């Protein structure tokens, strides 16, 4: 959520109790390859999603990666987007900023693009597997001089037990020429990532999510908005975490969204049946509410939840209050416009249509009973 007053915006994010990756490295000394690959797949997936939205982070480092309390590295949060920006793919960036150990050589030359993030990830992998930085020096100037040269080695004794695949992966990410360095999408396809980062997902959870996706339907705009609110605000962390695991298992290219092909592959893998193009298109028309051609994480959580679980009386009461801004016990046209109009240009006709879909007694307002009837319609 976010709130604002006269001076500030307040952004409320999910709680992360596992601390910084930096502290975990200090505690462990170094990581095993399996844990490192699982974690780095998540970092790359996040950055792939950012770069796909033309956002470059510019200060990736272990201090800016937060872990969950259970220390399962398939769930992380990247923070501190203070130096990030929306970039133009046709123009080079020229601001020199970042943290010496992790800064890319092209940033020091003040001519760079989004692949500066990939270099930083390469440095993080090197540190994860060895406990030491690839570029070092007695002070910041000396470190940045070493970064500019881009020369690193695997001669330290700690590398003797690290696989050649891991070393190849690091070498590719730390390619001095940014044009030859892989993108996040390309790095996600490296065998070290694909082979070591597989996550075991409860089969019953997967089958349940797929079944719910296939049968999902939100007939009205208001129902879609209510589902989205419940999924974003009222699901327990455990419910969300389980669905997130299934989502990531399906998201084979790690771009943070599910394509029709990924859904078909997942369905075949778990049900042993081929989903026809017609079935997939029908599913997408119900689930892909923003018509992007993909199912994003928010849409997936809404549709993959069991509807009966999603719309308990307690959750419906909380969702109703979200619409009923003045606490009068009814939802007015103005309140619908205020809630659903955020980021959308809702016309009076569109609001009127939404009210009529739900308002069964024709008084121009929506009571709690009418709201519940709408939400429970067609739910088995």
């Amino acid at each position: 959520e976010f709130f604002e007053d006269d001076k500030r915006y307040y952004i409320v994010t999910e709680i992360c109790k596992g601390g910084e990756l930096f502290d975990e490295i200090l505690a462990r000394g170094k990581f095993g390859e399996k844990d490192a690959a699982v974690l780095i797949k998540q970092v790359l997936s996040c950055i792939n999603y950012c770069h796909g939205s033309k956002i470059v982070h510019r200060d990736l480092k272990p201090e800016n990666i937060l872990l969950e309390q259970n220390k399962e590295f398939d769930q992380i949060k990247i923070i501190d987007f203070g130096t990030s920006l929306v970039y133009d793919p046709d123009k080079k960036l020229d601001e020199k900023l970042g943290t010496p150990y992790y800064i890319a050589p092209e940033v020091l030359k003040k001519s760079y693009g989004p692949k500066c993030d990939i270099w930083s990830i390469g440095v993080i992998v090197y540190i994860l597997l060895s406990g030491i930085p690839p570029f070092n020096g007695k002070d910041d100037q000396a470190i940045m001089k070493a970064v500019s040269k881009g020369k690193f080695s695997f001669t330290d004794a700690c590398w003797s037990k690290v696989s050649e695949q891991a070393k190849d992966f690091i070498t590719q990410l730390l390619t001095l020429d940014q044009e030859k360095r892989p993108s996040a999408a390309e790095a996600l396809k490296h065998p070290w990532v694909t082979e070591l980062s597989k996550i075991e997902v409860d089969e019953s959870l997967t089958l349940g999510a797929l079944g719910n996706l296939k049968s999902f339907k939100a007939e009205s705009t208001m129902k879609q908005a209510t589902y989205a609110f419940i999924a974003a605000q009222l699901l327990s962390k455990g419910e969300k975490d389980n669905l997130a695991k299934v989502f990531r298992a399906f998201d084979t290219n790690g771009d943070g969204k599910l394509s029709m092909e990924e859904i078909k592959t997942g369905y075949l893998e778990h049900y042993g049946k081929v989903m026809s193009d017609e079935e997939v298109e029908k599913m997408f028309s119900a689930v892909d509410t923003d018509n992007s051609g993909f199912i994003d994480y928010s849409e997936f959580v809404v549709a993959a939840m069991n509807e009966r679980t999603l719309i308990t009386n307690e959750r419906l009461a909380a969702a109703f209050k979200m619409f009923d801004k003045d606490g009068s016990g009814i939802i007015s046209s103005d309140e619908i416009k205020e809630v659903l109009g955020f980021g959308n240009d809702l016309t009076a006709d569109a609001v009127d249509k939404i009210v009529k879909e739900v308002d069964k007694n024709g008084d121009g307002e929506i009571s709690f009973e009418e709201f519940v009837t709408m939400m429970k319609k067609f739910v088995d």
Side-chain angles (χ1 to χ4, degrees):
E1 282 191 284
F2 71 89
F3 305 92
E4 61 175 302
D5 60 21
D6 292 341
K7 291 185 178 178
R8 298 178 181 86
Y9 282 108
Y10 301 88
I11 299 173
V12 184
T13 61
E14 288 178 298
I15 191 166
C16 283
K17 290 186 174 179
E20 297 173 1
L21 175 59
F22 182 80
D23 294 321
E24 190 67 14
I25 294 169
L26 289 180
R28 286 181 174 224
K30 56 187 177 182
F31 273 53
E33 287 191 46
K34 169 79 176 165
D35 282 348
V38 168
L39 184 137
I40 289 302
K41 182 183 180 183
Q42 299 317 311
V43 174
L44 279 169
S45 181
C46 178
I47 293 305
N48 187 24
Y49 184 83
C50 289
H51 289 180
S53 302
K54 305 288 183 286
I55 294 167
V56 58
H57 188 282
R58 301 201 293 183
D59 195 21
L60 286 175
K61 54 186 176 183
E63 294 92 323
N64 288 340
I65 298 169
L66 300 186
L67 307 175
E68 291 289 351
Q69 197 165 18
N70 60 15
K71 301 292 167 74
E72 286 184 17
F73 300 106
D74 65 326
Q75 298 223 57
I76 57 127
K77 296 280 189 295
I78 293 179
I79 61 163
D80 203 351
F81 280 74
T83 56
S84 70
L85 51 72
V86 178
Y87 65 88
D88 179 344
D90 299 322
K91 292 180 182 172
K92 291 292 185 198
L93 299 168
D94 58 9
E95 275 183 290
K96 183 181 166 185
L97 42 77
T99 304
Y101 281 119
Y102 306 95
I103 200 166
E106 64 269 21
V107 177
L108 297 173
K109 292 176 182 171
K110 298 185 179 180
S111 178
Y112 62 96
K115 287 184 181 178
C116 64
D117 287 341
I118 305 302
W119 176 278
S120 302
I121 295 170
V123 175
I124 292 168
V125 185
Y126 190 103
I127 291 171
L128 285 177
L129 296 178
S130 66
I132 53 176
F135 310 104
N136 215 339
K138 65 180 187 302
D139 55 30
D140 286 355
Q141 289 305 317
I143 293 166
M144 290 190 281
K145 192 173 179 182
V147 168
S148 294
K149 292 177 182 172
K151 289 182 179 174
F152 61 94
S153 74
F154 301 114
T155 53
D156 196 275
C158 63
W159 290 102
S160 61
K161 293 179 181 175
V162 175
S163 70
E164 291 306 312
Q165 261 190 354
K167 292 174 188 172
D168 179 68
F169 179 68
I170 292 168
T171 302
Q172 287 194 32
L173 268 53
L174 295 181
T175 299
L176 195 59
D177 183 346
Q178 61 184 315
E179 304 305 328
K180 293 177 182 173
R181 197 178 305 150
S183 65
E186 288 163 344
L188 279 161
K189 293 176 185 170
H190 192 282
W192 184 75
V193 175
T194 57
E195 289 169 21
L196 282 181
S197 65
K198 286 188 176 71
I199 303 162
E200 292 301 317
V201 184
D202 186 308
E203 189 67 10
S204 63
L205 267 177
T206 307
L207 291 173
L210 275 170
N212 293 335
L213 273 177
K214 204 172 176 189
S215 62
F216 178 79
K217 48 187 177 294
E219 305 79 19
S220 69
T221 305
M222 195 161 183
K223 195 167 185 176
Q224 287 174 356
T226 305
Y227 276 144
F229 173 76
I230 291 170
Q233 304 292 344
L234 306 178
L235 292 189
S236 71
K237 191 160 176 60
E239 286 172 317
K240 275 191 184 175
D241 287 352
N242 286 334
L243 287 173
K245 280 184 186 291
V246 177
F247 182 86
R248 286 195 297 273
F250 284 16
D251 181 20
T252 49
N253 69 353
D255 64 356
K257 55 192 180 185
L258 304 181
S259 65
M260 290 191 179
E261 205 53 50
E262 284 171 328
I263 291 286
K264 284 167 83 170
T265 302
Y267 198 81
L268 178 62
E269 197 175 303
H270 295 281
Y271 271 101
K273 288 188 281 188
V274 175
M275 224 177 161
S276 69
D277 287 348
E278 191 181 347
E279 285 178 303
V280 180
E281 282 165 19
K282 187 180 172 190
M283 176 199 286
F284 267 69
S285 70
V287 178
D288 177 23
T289 51
D290 63 359
N291 299 312
S292 65
F294 296 91
I295 295 174
D296 65 31
Y297 175 65
S298 304
E299 292 166 338
F300 177 83
V301 169
V302 170
M305 276 294 292
N306 181 292
E307 278 188 278
R308 281 186 301 255
T309 312
L310 203 61
I311 55 172
T312 61
N313 290 336
E314 188 183 0
R315 285 172 175 167
L316 288 180
F320 185 83
K321 281 181 185 171
M322 183 260 300
F323 283 101
D324 180 18
K325 293 287 187 188
D326 64 4
S328 64
I330 52 159
I331 301 170
S332 66
S333 298
D334 287 343
E335 285 170 330
I336 285 176
K337 183 160 189 179
E338 186 182 343
V339 174
L340 298 184
F342 182 76
N344 304 299
D345 189 17
L346 272 187
T347 62
D349 285 347
V351 173
D352 192 44
K353 187 183 173 196
I354 291 166
V355 173
K356 281 178 178 169
E357 284 174 345
V358 189
D359 173 27
K360 293 306 171 194
N361 67 3
D363 65 357
E365 297 171 327
I366 298 166
S367 68
F368 182 62
E369 289 72 25
E370 287 169 331
F371 179 76
V372 171
T373 301
M374 168 201 67
M375 292 303 298
K376 294 199 171 181
K377 189 180 178 184
F378 303 127
V379 177
D380 299 330

